[in-house]
């Protein structure tokens, strides 16, 4: 209700002015203000209301009368702005004030949580309340119409109604859907209840036809009661609004359409009608299909008798009655709406139709997400400029789903060939637009999706048939990938390695393989990324047959001597005969205890061996889980902070990580915050760090989906590992994660072993006779050694020293 200005008791020299702001709850605020006599008398004198007992004001009834900027002003500094003093005190509504004349006043905003407050008024309002909610945000507060529309709806339908409401009230998002889709969503806001419930349930169920009684059951499950007449009226409304279609207007339903709607009793009755044996619904389907393919006896005598297929369809139609189905445009609209409004969410949640469950779990606090609800997030408008860009992304996503949902090699190869053409057909203007996006938002472009499909489809091109032809296509694809400089650049070194592998193993051209590696070494990339090329170069140089030329080998030799090597890392060898596994599953080892015989996998046996030696008392097989948890606890506020100068790192509240987490921009966007935190960790005592981590641990819900892995690690383990590591080692581990989380979040040694009494801790990578460490594992172990953190290999088996690349010097 608009605020009304009332004036009272004008005097010749000074007057007392009363401002009354009417509220829905019949609470008024009286404002007394001394000012000079006005030149003209505006209103007749009104009787001042008598004092009364201050009513209790609920928090939801309190309106903030000052902006955030004004709230931070020093009252003393504002003394010179105006001599006007405003005293706020609640008053009762007076009947005489309702008929007073209105005059425009200047709106001031100040905190009114206290019952009485005297402040100095600023000269002008600094913030327009109409612009407090940015049009770019989807977090619009619900209005009265929306609240009324939600009455009587279940949570799942409210989730859908909310994003429809947010979309329709966002001028930047609306153009991203077709006009027909916009009209359809607008109609959804005004459906006869419980029409939207039916739309929501049919959308999340399997796409197909549904009987009338099935729809009625859906409504009853949501605690809605409608009679037959109201149900028909509601369905007719949905049909007239173009949301669903009915079978009476579509007589071309097929056998499978009808059969999927039938229950077991209906199928039994149909089989009995046609004298077919019934064992199960699945077998009855085939029996009915076989019966449909048979010719009726009337056909042999020229009689006009319906064939078996028509007879079966008529029987199915009579059992199903009138059926209903979502229109294609409705399903397409809702598909695109969910992608648009939940763009930053893990894509598998949308692809696997798990969004509804995710929203329910979040509301029930069963699975929550770390993004603060109060955080102002961006939306899809920071990615897509117009409908055409969003439509191209949707099309590319459909190709991506088609590729990953098929296991057929020939079909995958066909998709790769098609995508190769699609990528080449991207116009220069579109490519320029994609490149203009920050690196963490380029994942939402067709170019990025096509690149991802192409690199994943290379193994399919190396399979027969037409192996040589497909190998050439693979080389062409790689040539195109390494030429572009905007998408998935962290994979470029691996692409060079794959090209060299194709030349060496499939085409037998080792000289070309060597030239490819040399070209890769000359790239301006991180030295750690070059390590995978060094492995390939060493193999080429050491070849006995079909060796590259001496000149090429000489050049390659200059690159292979640096980088981590397995033989330079300390190791122990445990000679133990594994249990016979018949070539299946992981290798197991038997351990004879005083009263039992235990079977352990290689990591558990290694942990048992170390603890038996007595130096370490505890151990766990965590791999990278522990260090990721430590990093999350120490850098939680840095990871999930709002970066005012950076757009698009949070597009939805249902994100496990900020979108730049797995890019090099993660450190670049937070350079000063990360550097300050690393310095703080180094200079702070372990006890203080533990207290800070415990505060973060306790403040986060147990069911939260984040890198704090409570299901695998207890707080006691976090605390003891932190104390054993110490401040310097902890800062060193966090530094490597912070600089390149995408690359460093995996590859950490298998086992963590410690002794809480001696504060000794070691990280052990476990290998059997034939196992080889990955480049990332070697890099982590070398990094730990360089920072004086104990780490080593533990080789377990009967012939652990047969591998020449291993360190054979026992510790």
């Amino acid at each position: 209700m608009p605020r009304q200005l009332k004036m009272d008791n004008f005097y010749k020299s000074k007057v007392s002015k009363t401002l009354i702001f009417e509220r829905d709850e019949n609470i008024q605020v009286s404002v007394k203000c001394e000012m000079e006599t006005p030149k003209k008398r505006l209103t007749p004198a009104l009787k001042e209301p008598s004092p009364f007992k201050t009513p209790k004001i609920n928090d939801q009834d309190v309106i903030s009368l000052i902006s955030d900027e004004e709230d931070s002003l020093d009252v003393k500094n504002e003394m010179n702005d105006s001599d006007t003093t405003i005293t706020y005190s609640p008053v009762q509504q007076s009947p005489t004030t309702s008929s007073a004349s209105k005059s425009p006043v200047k709106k001031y905003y100040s905190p009114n949580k206290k019952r009485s407050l005297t402040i100095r008024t600023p000269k002008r309002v600094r913030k327009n309340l109409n612009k407090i909610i940015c049009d770019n945000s989807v977090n619009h507060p619900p209005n009265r119409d929306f609240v009324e529309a939600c009455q009587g709806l279940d949570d799942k339908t409210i989730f859908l109604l909310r994003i429809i409401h947010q979309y329709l009230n966002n001028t930047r998002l609306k153009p991203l859907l077709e006009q027909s889709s916009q009209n359809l969503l607008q109609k959804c806001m005004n459906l006869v209840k419980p029409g939207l419930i039916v739309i929501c349930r049919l959308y999340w169920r399997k796409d197909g036809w549904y009987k009338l009684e099935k729809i009625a059951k859906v409504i009853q499950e949501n605690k809605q009661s409608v009679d037959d007449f109201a149900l028909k009226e509601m369905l007719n409304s949905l049909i007239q609004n173009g949301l669903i279609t009915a079978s009476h207007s579509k007589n071309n339903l097929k056998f499978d359409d009808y059969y999927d709607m039938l229950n077991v009793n209906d199928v039994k009755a149909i089989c009995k009608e046609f004298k077919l044996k019934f064992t199960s619904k699945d077998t009855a389907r085939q029996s009915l299909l076989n019966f449909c393919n048979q010719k009726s006896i009337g056909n042999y005598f020229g009689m006009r008798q319906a064939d078996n297929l028509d007879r079966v369809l008529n029987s199915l139609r009579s059992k199903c009655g009138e059926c209903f189905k979502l229109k294609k445009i409705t399903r397409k609209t809702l598909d695109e709406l969910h992608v648009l409004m939940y763009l930053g969410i893990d894509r598998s949640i949308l692809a696997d139709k798990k969004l509804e469950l995710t929203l329910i779990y979040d509301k029930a606090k069963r699975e929550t997400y770390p993004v603060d609800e109060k955080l102002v997030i961006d939306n899809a408008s920071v990615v897509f400029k117009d409908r055409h860009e969003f439509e191209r992304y949707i099309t590319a996503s459909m190709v991506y789903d088609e590729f990953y949902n098929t296991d057929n090699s020939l079909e995958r190869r066909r998709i790769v060939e098609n995508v190769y053409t699609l990528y080449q057909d991207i116009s220069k203007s579109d490519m320029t637009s994609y490149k203009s996006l920050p690196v963490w938002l380029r994942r939402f472009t067709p170019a990025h999706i096509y690149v991802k499909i192409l690199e994943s489809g290379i193994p399919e091109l190396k399979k027969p048939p037409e192996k040589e032809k497909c190998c050439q296509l693979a080389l062409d694809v790689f040539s195109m990938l390494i030429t572009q400089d905007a998408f998935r650049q962290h994979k470029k070194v691996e692409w060079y390695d794959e090209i060299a592998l194709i030349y060496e193993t499939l085409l037998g051209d080792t000289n070309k393989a060597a030239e490819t590696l040399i070209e890769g070494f000359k790239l301006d990339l991180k030295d750690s990324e070059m390590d995978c090329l060094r492995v390939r170069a060493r193999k080429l140089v050491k070849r006995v047959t079909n060796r590259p030329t001496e000149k090429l080998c000489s050049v390659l030799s200059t690159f292979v001597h640096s980088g981590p090597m397995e033989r330079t890392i300390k190791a122990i060898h445990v000679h133990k005969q594994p249990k016979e596994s018949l070539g299946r599953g992981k290798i197991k080892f038997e351990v004879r205890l005083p009263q039992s015989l235990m079977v352990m996998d290689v990591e558990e046996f290694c942990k048992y061996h170390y603890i038996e030696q007595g130096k370490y008392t505890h151990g766990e097989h965590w791999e990278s889980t522990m260090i990721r948890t430590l990093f999350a606890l120490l850098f939680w506020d840095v990871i999930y902070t709002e970066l005012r100068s950076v757009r698009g790192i949070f597009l939805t509240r249902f994100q496990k990580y900020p979108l730049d987490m797995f890019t090099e921009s993660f450190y670049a966007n937070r350079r000063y915050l990360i550097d300050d935190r690393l310095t703080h960790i180094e200079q702070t005592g372990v006890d203080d760090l533990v207290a800070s981590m415990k505060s973060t641990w306790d403040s986060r819900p147990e069911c939260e989906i984040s890198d704090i892995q409570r299901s695998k690690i207890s707080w006691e383990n976090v605390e003891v590992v932190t104390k054993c590591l110490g401040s310097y080692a902890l800062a060193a581990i966090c530094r490597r994660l912070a600089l390149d989380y995408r690359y460093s979040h995996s590859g950490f040694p298998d086992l963590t072993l410690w002794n809480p009494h001696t504060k000794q801790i070691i990280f052990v990578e476990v290998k059997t006779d034939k196992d080889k460490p990955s480049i990332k594992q070697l890099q982590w172990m070398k990094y730990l050694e360089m920072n004086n953190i104990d780490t080593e290999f533990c080789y377990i088996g009967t012939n652990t020293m047969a591998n020449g690349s291993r360190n054979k010097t026992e510790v």
Side-chain angles (χ1 to χ4, degrees):
M1 181 181 294
R3 299 181 176 87
Q4 306 293 333
L5 174 62
K6 316 282 184 169
M7 302 189 64
D8 187 24
N9 297 334
F10 288 92
Y11 298 95
K12 293 182 179 180
S13 58
K14 292 186 177 180
V15 298
S16 175
K17 181 176 65 175
T18 301
L19 304 178
I20 298 179
F21 297 84
E22 294 185 0
R23 299 288 304 279
D24 291 340
E25 294 77 15
N26 295 327
I27 297 176
Q28 299 176 346
V29 180
S30 176
V31 184
K32 294 182 179 181
C33 190
E34 288 188 359
M35 57 183 294
E36 297 298 330
T37 304
K39 295 181 179 180
K40 295 182 179 180
R41 184 182 181 88
L42 300 178
T43 58
L46 300 175
K47 185 177 179 180
E48 185 175 359
S50 58
F52 74 108
K53 187 175 180 180
T54 303
K56 183 178 180 181
I57 302 177
N58 297 326
D59 291 341
Q60 61 267 27
D61 297 332
V62 177
I63 298 178
S64 179
L65 297 180
I66 191 169
S67 67
D68 296 337
E69 296 174 358
E70 293 162 356
D71 192 25
S72 62
L73 294 177
D74 189 348
V75 174
K76 295 181 179 180
N77 294 336
E78 297 177 359
M79 300 286 282
N80 297 328
D81 291 344
S82 175
D83 293 334
T84 305
T85 304
I86 300 179
T87 304
Y88 293 92
S89 60
V91 296
Q92 285 183 338
Q93 185 175 8
S94 173
T96 60
T97 62
S98 61
S99 60
S101 61
K102 304 176 183 178
S103 61
V105 295
K106 192 176 183 180
K107 297 181 181 179
Y108 299 110
Y109 302 92
S110 59
N112 62 347
K113 292 184 179 180
K114 294 184 179 180
R115 302 296 172 85
S116 180
L117 180 65
T118 300
I119 66 169
R120 298 289 179 178
T121 61
K123 287 184 176 180
R124 59 186 178 88
V125 179
R126 299 191 179 186
K127 186 178 294 187
N128 184 355
L129 290 183
N130 294 328
K131 295 299 182 181
I132 288 181
I133 306 291
C134 179
D135 186 53
N136 220 18
S137 173
V138 297
N139 298 328
H140 294 289
N143 56 26
R144 181 174 297 178
D145 293 338
F146 174 75
V147 174
E148 291 177 356
C150 292
Q151 297 296 326
L153 300 180
D154 62 297
D155 289 338
K156 299 174 182 179
T157 309
I158 292 175
F159 293 147
L160 175 60
L161 188 64
R162 179 180 292 113
I163 62 172
I164 294 176
H165 171 75
Q166 291 172 349
Y167 165 78
L168 292 175
N169 287 275
N170 194 301
T171 57
R172 292 179 179 268
L173 289 177
K174 285 189 71 174
L176 299 183
L177 295 185
E178 294 178 344
Q179 186 61 48
S180 58
S181 296
Q182 297 179 35
N183 297 337
L184 205 66
L185 294 176
Q186 188 64 57
K187 293 177 181 178
C188 289
M189 296 296 297
N190 304 310
L191 289 178
V192 177
K193 291 183 178 181
L196 192 59
I197 293 179
V198 174
I199 297 299
C200 180
R201 304 321 314 140
L202 293 184
Y203 172 72
W204 288 112
R205 291 171 182 257
K206 181 181 177 181
D207 186 18
W209 292 89
Y210 290 87
K211 296 193 294 184
L212 182 63
E213 53 264 32
K214 187 68 175 180
I215 294 178
K217 185 177 180 181
V218 167
I219 297 175
Q220 293 173 0
E221 289 175 352
N222 290 276
K223 300 180 181 179
Q224 299 282 333
S225 58
V226 293
D227 54 26
D228 293 342
F229 178 77
L231 179 61
K232 289 293 183 67
E233 287 294 320
M234 182 266 296
L235 290 173
N236 288 334
S237 174
L238 295 179
I239 294 173
Q240 292 173 3
N241 284 299
L243 294 166
I244 66 173
T245 183
S247 62
H248 62 75
S249 61
K250 298 278 186 180
N251 292 324
N252 58 346
L253 267 64
K254 298 180 180 179
F255 174 89
D256 290 338
D257 296 328
Y258 286 121
Y259 195 84
D260 290 340
M261 289 186 283
L262 299 178
N263 56 37
V264 175
N265 293 329
D266 291 335
V267 175
K268 284 183 179 179
I270 293 175
C271 289
K272 184 177 180 181
E273 177 184 350
F274 296 107
K275 299 180 181 181
L276 299 176
K277 185 177 180 181
F278 176 85
T279 54
S280 66
K281 188 177 179 181
D282 292 335
T283 57
R285 178 194 293 269
Q286 189 59 45
S287 298
L288 285 171
L289 288 175
N290 293 337
F291 179 75
C292 291
N293 293 329
Q294 297 175 2
K295 291 185 177 181
S296 63
I297 191 171
N299 291 335
Y300 292 99
F301 298 100
M303 299 174 61
R304 294 182 178 179
Q305 184 177 358
D307 59 16
N308 292 344
L309 177 60
D310 291 337
R311 294 170 59 198
V312 171
L313 287 178
N314 289 332
S315 179
L316 292 174
R317 191 178 296 113
S318 63
K319 289 291 183 183
C320 293
E322 191 174 11
C323 311
F324 304 89
K325 178 183 180 180
L326 275 185
K327 277 194 169 183
K328 290 184 178 180
I329 185 176
T330 305
R331 186 167 293 276
K332 175 189 174 184
T333 297
L334 295 181
D335 282 340
E336 293 185 358
L337 178 69
H338 283 93
V339 172
L340 195 64
M341 304 304 289
Y342 297 99
L343 188 62
I345 202 171
D346 184 354
R347 197 175 178 284
S348 63
I349 295 178
L350 292 174
D352 298 338
K353 295 288 185 180
K354 295 180 179 179
L355 176 61
E356 187 182 41
L357 189 63
T358 299
L359 298 174
I360 291 294
Y361 281 174
D362 178 74
K363 181 175 182 180
K365 304 302 180 184
R366 181 172 174 178
E367 288 183 358
T368 60
Y369 286 81
V371 180
D372 193 340
E373 294 184 3
K374 298 179 181 179
L375 186 68
V376 178
I377 61 176
D378 294 306
N379 57 42
S381 64
V382 302
V383 181
F384 308 112
K385 297 178 182 178
D386 51 38
R387 165 65 187 174
H388 296 293
E389 285 195 358
F390 180 60
E391 191 173 24
R392 286 193 291 267
Y393 169 72
I394 292 293
T395 303
S397 299
M398 294 172 62
V399 177
Y400 179 89
D401 292 336
E402 182 185 3
F403 176 80
Y404 281 95
N405 290 333
T406 180
D407 296 328
N408 188 289
S409 295
L410 294 179
E411 181 65 18
R412 282 193 159 201
R413 183 180 297 176
R414 181 195 64 80
I415 296 174
V416 170
E417 294 174 353
N418 183 40
V419 168
Y420 178 58
T421 304
L422 290 174
Y423 183 87
Q424 291 178 317
D425 291 340
I426 296 176
S427 65
K428 292 184 179 180
S429 59
D430 289 338
M431 190 65 74
T432 302
S433 177
Y434 301 152
K435 291 180 180 180
S436 66
L437 292 171
V439 65
W440 58 88
L441 292 180
R442 293 176 189 174
R443 72 185 68 184
F444 304 115
T445 63
H448 178 276
I449 295 175
Y450 292 154
V451 168
K452 193 171 183 179
I453 294 174
L454 290 173
E455 67 175 354
S456 300
I458 293 298
E460 308 297 337
L461 300 180
K462 296 189 292 185
K463 297 178 181 179
E466 299 181 351
K467 184 176 178 181
E468 293 184 0
K469 176 184 176 181
C470 291
C471 282
Q472 185 57 49
L473 177 60
L475 292 176
D476 294 339
V477 169
F478 275 129
S479 176
M480 183 189 69
L481 292 179
I482 63 178
T483 301
Q484 59 88 23
D485 58 355
F487 308 100
R488 299 184 65 79
Q489 292 300 288
H490 62 278
K491 291 285 188 178
K492 180 164 287 190
V493 173
E494 297 180 20
W495 296 339
Y496 274 98
D497 184 64
E498 282 290 329
I499 295 174
L501 181 63
I502 292 175
Y503 277 124
E504 179 186 1
T505 60
L506 298 180
L507 301 180
D509 192 346
T510 55
N511 290 329
K512 198 67 176 178
E515 292 173 358
T516 301
L517 293 176
I518 293 172
E519 181 182 344
F521 281 125
K522 293 180 179 180
L523 294 176
D524 185 18
L525 298 176
K526 292 181 179 179
D527 190 64
S528 58
E529 296 178 347
M530 296 294 187
D531 287 338
C532 70
L533 293 184
R534 293 189 178 98
V535 174
R536 182 71 53 202
R538 290 191 192 103
K539 292 180 179 179
L540 275 178
V541 172
K542 292 181 179 180
R543 286 182 68 97
V544 177
T545 60
N546 195 19
R547 192 167 180 263
T549 63
E550 290 298 326
K551 182 179 180 181
L552 291 174
C553 288
S554 176
V555 176
L556 282 179
S557 299
T558 60
F559 297 104
V560 300
H561 295 297
S562 58
M565 300 182 67
E566 187 177 359
R567 65 169 60 92
T568 62
I569 300 174
K570 65 179 182 178
I572 65 171
H573 295 261
V574 179
H575 300 280
K576 176 70 175 179
Q577 178 68 41
K579 182 182 178 182
E580 187 176 1
S581 62
L582 301 178
R584 295 181 180 180
K586 295 186 67 175
I587 296 177
K588 303 287 185 179
F589 295 90
E590 291 183 347
V591 178
R592 191 172 298 278
L593 300 177
Q595 297 180 351
S596 62
L597 182 67
M598 291 189 64
V599 178
M600 304 178 179
D601 59 27
V602 61
E603 290 84 8
E604 287 295 320
F605 176 76
C606 181
K607 182 176 71 174
Y608 168 80
H609 173 79
Y610 272 86
I611 294 176
E612 281 292 302
Q613 300 300 313
K615 185 176 181 180
Y616 302 100
T617 58
H618 298 77
E620 292 293 342
H621 179 204
W622 285 325
E623 296 183 357
S624 301
T625 304
M626 173 55 80
I627 62 168
R628 292 168 66 179
T629 299
L630 295 176
F631 181 77
L633 291 172
L634 289 167
F635 286 80
W636 185 272
D637 55 335
V638 176
I639 296 172
Y640 296 102
T641 189
E642 180 181 352
L643 304 176
R644 296 184 180 275
S645 60
V646 180
R647 300 293 304 277
I649 58 174
F650 295 108
L651 296 181
T652 178
R653 191 171 60 81
F654 301 97
Q655 290 180 213
K656 184 177 180 180
Y657 307 102
L659 294 180
D660 64 341
M661 185 79 170
F662 292 87
T663 68
E664 293 182 358
S665 299
F666 175 76
Y667 174 72
N669 291 338
R670 303 164 180 80
R671 179 186 301 272
Y672 298 109
L673 294 174
I674 291 175
D675 290 345
D676 289 345
R677 184 59 52 85
L678 291 173
T679 303
H680 172 75
I681 295 172
E682 285 184 348
Q683 298 176 355
T684 304
V686 175
D687 293 337
D688 292 336
L689 291 177
V690 169
S692 175
M693 295 164 68
K694 184 65 164 62
S695 176
T696 303
W697 179 280
D698 292 339
S699 66
R700 307 315 307 171
E702 293 186 4
C703 57
E704 192 169 67
I705 298 177
S706 68
D707 273 344
I708 301 179
Q709 304 287 339
R710 297 174 185 266
S711 60
K712 300 178 181 179
I713 299 176
S714 65
W715 166 251
E716 290 72 21
N717 290 332
V718 173
E719 182 179 15
V720 70
V721 168
T722 302
K723 291 182 176 180
C724 290
L725 279 172
S727 300
Y728 176 81
L730 196 61
I733 291 175
C734 289
R735 179 177 290 107
R736 189 164 193 265
L737 288 170
L739 293 179
D740 194 351
Y741 193 85
R742 175 200 60 79
Y743 189 82
S744 305
H745 78 284
S746 60
F748 200 77
D750 296 317
L751 298 182
T752 302
L753 298 125
W754 70 90
N755 188 327
H757 307 292
T758 62
K759 298 293 189 294
Q760 290 179 304
I761 189 170
I762 190 172
F763 301 103
V764 180
E765 181 63 38
V766 186
K767 297 296 178 187
T768 55
D769 287 344
K770 298 181 180 180
D771 288 342
K772 295 181 180 180
S774 67
I775 292 297
K776 287 187 177 182
Q777 291 171 342
L778 292 174
Q779 290 171 343
W780 255 118
M781 297 182 76
K782 198 65 178 179
Y783 180 82
L784 294 174
E785 282 188 344
M786 292 171 58
N787 288 276
N788 299 319
I789 303 174
D790 282 342
T791 184
E792 64 188 23
F793 279 106
C794 179
Y795 301 112
I796 302 177
T798 57
N799 196 13
T800 59
M801 294 189 180
N803 193 326
S805 61
R806 294 178 174 179
N807 189 341
K808 299 180 176 58
T809 304
E810 291 277 359
V811 180

